[in-house]
Amino acid sequence: MLVLAVVAGSAAPAAADGHEGFTVEDPRIVESSGLAASRAHPGVYWTHNDQDKGAYLYAVDSRTGRTVATVTMSGIGAPRDVEAVSVGADGNLYVGDIGDNLGGTWSNVWIYKLPEPKTLKDQTVRATQYVVEYEDGARDAEALMVHPKTGRIYIADKKEEGGSLYEGPAEMSASGTNVFKKIAATDLWVTDGAFSPDGEQLALRGYFGGTSYAWKGAGKQPEREGRLSVPFQRQGESVTYTTDGTSLMYGTEGARSQVTPVEVRGKGGGGGSGAPSGGGGSDSSAKSGGLDGGLKTGAVVAGAVLLAFFGLRRLTRRR
């Protein structure tokens, strides 16, 4: 069984869509590895631990940081390394059991689909399990994105030297194997990703930076737009758009972990007319992945200190 929990949103109009940052208060959530804004419940965010604590999705209230529902998924096998969650165009939740901390030794990974509950309460929901393979062999991944218009599923694998973006079949099969095909290279150590609500932008994040892409359609290579303004976090693992597309919400691992909002500049966001179009909270003045220019040097130094403190083995432990 897979347990899911939800984080609920603010009742105040200004925060009704969950634009404010918050602290995840649930003591069970110590390795939040995925994040998705609920469409059915404004201000609610779905999250989960990764493989060390089982496969959990928690619905967290972005006003209080408290878990408001726990959903147990039935009808699936024992999860191995759950790393991502996304809300699909069909209103279903998609959970990516796609991590491989053995370095790509599992011949297949799994995606679970279940309807997003209409009522936030503890309950059991039957899920559909999909078997996934990559056309060029097994790999570790932490980012799963469902396109909000087409419903097609994408996975970005995780490689320190930069990996690839994979596209799933137009129709997923619950009885056969679903082969994901490479459509683009990434130059980022990807820990999560998200599509904008209008489906026109793709945001990919890593530990110390991120990249915004203009989406060009199924089977096509997305166009790189610029760097994402990723906040400095102790172990940045997740990202999702708010439901109106005006902010990106960045999550991290650890007890009482912080979810930090960054306003999206340009199209669909709150930036001025001089902001780059469709920026996804990006700095389009530089086309290489990383942080905003003014913060880059300090972030690199701080990142080096952080790596020394935690150790590379800690950062790579669960891929």
Side-chain angles (χ1 to χ4, degrees):
M1 291 187 299
L2 178 59
V3 180
L4 306 177
V6 189
V7 184
S10 168
D17 290 327
H19 291 74
E20 303 298 319
F22 59 93
T23 299
V24 177
E25 299 289 354
D26 194 327
R28 296 173 297 174
I29 307 172
V30 295
E31 291 182 323
S32 176
S33 191
L35 194 67
S38 170
R39 293 187 181 180
H41 309 285
V44 167
Y45 288 86
W46 293 94
T47 189
H48 55 83
N49 288 307
D50 70 12
Q51 96 280 357
D52 284 352
K53 300 296 180 182
Y56 299 98
L57 286 175
Y58 300 90
V60 180
D61 181 332
S62 61
R63 180 179 60 88
T64 65
R66 298 175 188 168
T67 298
V68 294
T70 301
V71 175
T72 302
M73 292 205 309
S74 64
I76 63 173
R80 290 186 299 209
D81 191 352
V82 174
E83 293 287 357
V85 60
S86 183
V87 180
D90 53 5
N92 287 313
L93 295 172
Y94 290 80
V95 181
D97 192 352
I98 55 177
D100 188 346
N101 63 346
L102 300 178
T105 59
W106 292 324
S107 60
N108 60 65
V109 291
W110 304 308
I111 295 172
Y112 313 126
K113 180 183 76 172
L114 70 157
E116 183 173 11
K118 295 180 179 179
T119 303
L120 292 178
K121 62 180 182 179
D122 294 350
Q123 59 193 287
T124 298
V125 179
R126 187 168 185 82
T128 300
Q129 180 168 338
Y130 298 108
V131 176
V132 169
E133 292 182 0
Y134 302 96
E135 65 173 351
D136 50 356
R139 60 199 57 250
D140 181 32
E142 293 190 4
L144 177 146
M145 298 75 63
V146 182
H147 194 274
K149 301 301 182 183
T150 68
R152 204 150 188 171
I153 303 173
Y154 296 84
I155 294 173
D157 68 355
K158 185 178 187 181
K159 291 185 177 180
E160 186 174 358
E161 66 276 15
S164 302
L165 179 66
Y166 291 84
E167 181 179 70
E171 297 289 339
M172 296 286 286
S173 170
S175 58
T177 298
N178 299 274
V179 178
F180 277 57
K181 298 181 179 180
K182 179 179 176 179
I183 62 169
T186 64
D187 60 354
L188 188 68
W189 197 6
V190 178
T191 59
D192 203 9
F195 281 109
S196 59
D198 61 9
E200 295 185 5
Q201 268 73 44
L202 171 66
L204 296 179
R205 75 157 299 174
Y207 290 121
F208 306 118
T211 306
S212 175
Y213 298 89
W215 192 248
K216 298 300 180 180
K220 298 179 181 179
Q221 181 172 323
E223 178 183 347
R224 183 184 179 120
E225 293 184 314
R227 297 188 305 226
L228 291 174
S229 302
V230 177
F232 187 66
Q233 297 174 307
R234 56 186 165 188
Q235 188 173 337
E237 291 278 349
S238 59
V239 67
T240 188
Y241 276 88
T242 53
T243 54
D244 64 1
T246 61
S247 297
L248 281 163
M249 305 291 284
Y250 291 93
T252 182
E253 289 197 358
R256 301 191 78 247
S257 61
Q258 301 287 321
V259 176
T260 304
V262 175
E263 186 179 26
V264 172
R265 296 194 296 270
K267 183 177 180 180
S273 59
S277 175
S282 65
D283 172 14
S284 63
S285 63
K287 295 299 182 180
S288 60
L291 300 174
D292 280 347
L295 299 175
K296 186 174 182 181
T297 301
V300 169
V301 173
V305 173
L306 188 70
L307 283 172
F309 180 75
F310 283 108
L312 275 175
R313 188 170 67 178
R314 164 64 180 160
L315 289 179
T316 57
R317 175 177 57 81
R318 68 179 51 79
R319 324 301 173 231

